[in-house]
Amino acid sequence: MSAFIKPEMISRRKALSLVGLAAAFGLAAAPVALTVSDAEAQTAGMLRRQERREGRHERREERRAARTERREERRTGTTTGTATGTTTGTATGTTTGTATGTTTGTAK
């Protein structure tokens, strides 16, 4: 093993070719690495976090629906959807739909 390796100058064309190959390899390997890391990241803690997040979203949607229902009842005096719980406000007119709970307030 006494052979000497002679250093050579690399041309711009070869350097550009190497840079292009490295970029192409990086782009091809990136999606594969991302899918592998996502699959491995499912831990018990992350599952609990996702369940809590889903619960928050559901409660938020329920609050929004109830708020829209109360607003609609205040504006028109009619209920057009389904609501659960207690509705407080003014009630004048007919109520359509199904509502569970009590309605209190004064008619103006």
Side-chain angles (χ1 to χ4, degrees), residues 78-100:
T78 61
T79 304
T80 57
T82 61
T84 59
T86 303
T87 305
T88 305
T90 60
T92 57
T94 60
T95 302
T96 59
T98 58
T100 306

Side-chain angles (χ1 to χ4, degrees), residues 38-91:
D38 287 344
E40 293 173 357
Q42 292 295 327
T43 62
M46 290 184 71
L47 292 175
R48 284 193 307 266
R49 180 178 181 217
Q50 183 64 29
E51 289 172 0
R52 288 193 311 265
R53 180 180 292 167
E54 289 173 0
R56 284 194 304 267
H57 286 286
E58 288 174 5
R59 290 190 302 272
R60 185 177 302 136
E61 288 297 321
E62 290 173 2
R63 286 193 307 267
R64 287 179 181 166
R67 190 167 48 238
T68 303
E69 183 85 18
R70 291 190 306 267
R71 187 180 305 128
E72 182 68 23
E73 187 175 347
R74 280 194 311 268
R75 290 179 181 168
T76 64
T78 61
T79 304
T80 57
T82 61
T84 59
T86 303
T87 305
T88 305
T90 60

